[in-house]
């Protein structure tokens, strides 16, 4: 039995070596005590958990003597003291550091991306379907711009657009001789260009908003396209000249009464405006053609038409030209166009119109035609000529009334009637123009004083006749109106003392003989005089 225990002791001594102790009793019990003592001493040097310490204490045999138990208790107490003195150490954190490597673009990134965009642009100009959707194309432009390749992209797009625009305009060279068909082809080419550039601008919108906006010297994609279209259109002089000539012929045909495609005219003229060549390429030759057209028409119509019809024709023509500016011409053309028509149809024929028709219109009291003449003359600052014509007419017509001695009896009534017709024309035709009112007054003052004192005497006799008792059939209102009209003539008389002498004499006779029509009328007349 002692041999196995001895082997066990040898294994235990390799782990921890207990101090030597005296053995009592039989060998069997002595060996067990040594083994237990070794286990206890090992537990004192062990730093395991308290549970292990507790289990080690349970190995003490209850039959052991007090000395052994005291020794075991002392070792356990020392172990606890040593555990309390050692503070727990914090656990170390595991930190993983990532090395940030700078991303690099593929060596062929720009070329590959541009190949996709170039294919799409070509498909747009050739009106072919493109397998790449718009979102991917838009993203491709964004990627190039974000990697600072916007300048190169802009130049590539410009070059690609120029190739297709040049081809489109060259296709118009030598096209149909029929101007209508040719203009339709030009309009279709322009419309296709607009649609195509709008699509390209939509795809490259990010380029417009970043690179173009940050580079003042660079045009937007739309303006770049317009500049290329104008460049190649101006180089293809045949196309530009043929287009302008066709437009002028269409407008001339419309002036001659033919129906034309106004929508086509509008689209092509908007093309000239958008390209910035409207004024130089179209407006200038258009105004020259307009001047030639109306110069010939003005001479022709003045020879074969009377003044009222000619004025109506001029009014219609000016209205037509104004409508053209609203329908298809640029708004900037309105003023020079109307001025050109006014000059050729009115300004150059003012004297002829007045000499040929003014007297006829005045004699016939043609207030509507006179109003048309006044309105048209005011457009070309020719009212002064019209005023002189009115003054001459009044003097010439009135002279026949005042200087004809055979008609002295009716001179005052004729002058009153003439003055009343002039006042009506002044109100209805001459827009109550103060200058024309003064012209009428000056002309009448000249007439009344052509025969010195005779008109004053005749006016006094006319009043005597009206205030006599023989005019009972005339109402008070009518009599007052007649007196007011006569007083207008009275104001024009320079020799008022002559009038006063005759009037006093006639008034005395009426009062002495009791032949006055109305005492109230007599008082009213005296107060007015």
């Amino acid at each position: 039995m002692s041999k196995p225990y001895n082997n066990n002791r040898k294994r235990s001594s390799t782990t921890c070596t207990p101090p030597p102790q005296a053995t009592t009793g039989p060998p069997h019990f002595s060996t067990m005590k040594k083994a237990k003592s070794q286990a206890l001493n090992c537990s004192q040097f062990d730093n395991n958990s308290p549970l292990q310490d507790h289990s080690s204490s349970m190995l003490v045999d209850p039959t052991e003597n007090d000395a052994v138990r005291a020794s075991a208790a002392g070792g356990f107490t020392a172990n606890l003291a040593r555990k309390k003195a050692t503070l727990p150490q914090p656990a170390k954190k595991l930190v993983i550091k990532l090395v940030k490597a700078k991303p690099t673009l593929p060596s062929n990134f720009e070329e590959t991306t541009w190949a996709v965009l170039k294919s799409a642009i070509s498909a747009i100009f050739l009106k072919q379907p493109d397998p790449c959707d718009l979102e991917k194309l838009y993203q491709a432009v964004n990627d190039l711009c974000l990697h600072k390749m916007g300048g190169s992209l802009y130049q590539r797009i410009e070059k690609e657009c120029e190739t297709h625009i040049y081809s489109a305009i060259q296709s118009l060279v030598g096209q149909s001789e029929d101007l209508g068909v040719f203009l339709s082809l030009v309009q279709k080419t322009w419309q296709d260009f607009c649609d195509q550039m709008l699509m390209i601008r939509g795809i490259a919108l990010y380029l417009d908003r970043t690179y173009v906006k940050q580079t003042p010297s660079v045009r937007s994609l739309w303006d770049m396209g317009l500049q290329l279209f104008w460049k190649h259109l101006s180089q293809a002089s045949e196309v530009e000249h043929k287009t302008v000539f066709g437009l002028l012929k269409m407008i001339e045909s419309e002036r001659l009464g033919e129906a034309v495609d106004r929508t086509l005219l509008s689209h092509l003229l908007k093309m000239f405006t958008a390209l910035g060549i409207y004024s130089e390429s179209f407006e200038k030759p258009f105004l020259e053609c307009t001047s030639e057209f109306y110069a010939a028409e003005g001479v022709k119509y003045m020879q074969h038409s009377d003044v009222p019809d000619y004025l109506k024709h001029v009014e219609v023509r000016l209205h037509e030209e104004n409508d053209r500016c609203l329908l298809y011409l640029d708004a900037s053309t309105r003023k020079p166009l109307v001025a050109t028509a006014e000059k050729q149809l009115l300004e150059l024929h003012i004297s002829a119109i007045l000499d040929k028709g003014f007297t006829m219109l005045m004699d016939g009291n043609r207030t509507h035609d006179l109003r048309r003449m006044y309105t048209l003359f005011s457009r070309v600052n020719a009212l002064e000529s019209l005023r002189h014509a009115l003054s001459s007419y009044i003097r010439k017509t009135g002279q026949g009334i005042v200087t004809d001695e055979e008609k002295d009896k009716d001179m005052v009534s004729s002058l009153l009637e003439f003055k009343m017709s002039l006042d009506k024309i002044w109100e209805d035709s001459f827009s109550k123009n103060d200058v024309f009112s003064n012209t009428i007054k000056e002309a009448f003052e000249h007439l009344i004083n052509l025969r010195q004192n005779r008109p004053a005497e005749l006016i006094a006799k006319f009043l005597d006749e009206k205030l006599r008792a023989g005019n009972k059939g005339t109402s008070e209102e009518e009599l007052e109106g007649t007196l007011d009209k006569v007083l207008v003539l009275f104001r024009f008389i320079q020799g008022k003392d002559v009038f006063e002498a005759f009037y006093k004499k006639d008034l005395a006779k009426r009062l002495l003989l009791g032949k006055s029509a109305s005492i109230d009328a007599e008082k009213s007349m005296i107060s007015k005089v």
Side-chain angles (χ1 to χ4, degrees), residues 10 65-66 68 99 101 236 244 250 288 319 321 343 353 368 379 398 404 489 516 525:
K10 289 181 180 179
N65 55 23
D66 294 337
V68 174
V99 179
V244 173
M250 284 185 71
E288 292 175 355
H319 182 71
E321 297 303 329
K343 179 179 180 180
I353 292 172
H368 292 291
R379 297 177 68 128
D404 190 353
L489 297 179
S516 179
M525 185 61 196

Side-chain angles (χ1 to χ4, degrees), residues 265-302:
L265 281 168
S266 177
H267 287 168
L268 290 175
L269 291 175
K270 285 180 179 178
M271 176 189 76
F272 278 82
T273 302
L275 296 175
I277 58 175
Y278 176 87
S279 178
E280 186 65 26
S281 297
F282 172 78
E283 186 180 68
K284 186 176 180 180
F286 169 67
L287 293 177
E288 292 175 355
C289 290
T290 299
S291 180
E292 294 174 2
F293 179 86
Y294 284 125
E297 186 178 82
V299 173
K300 177 182 177 182
Y301 271 74
M302 278 301 300

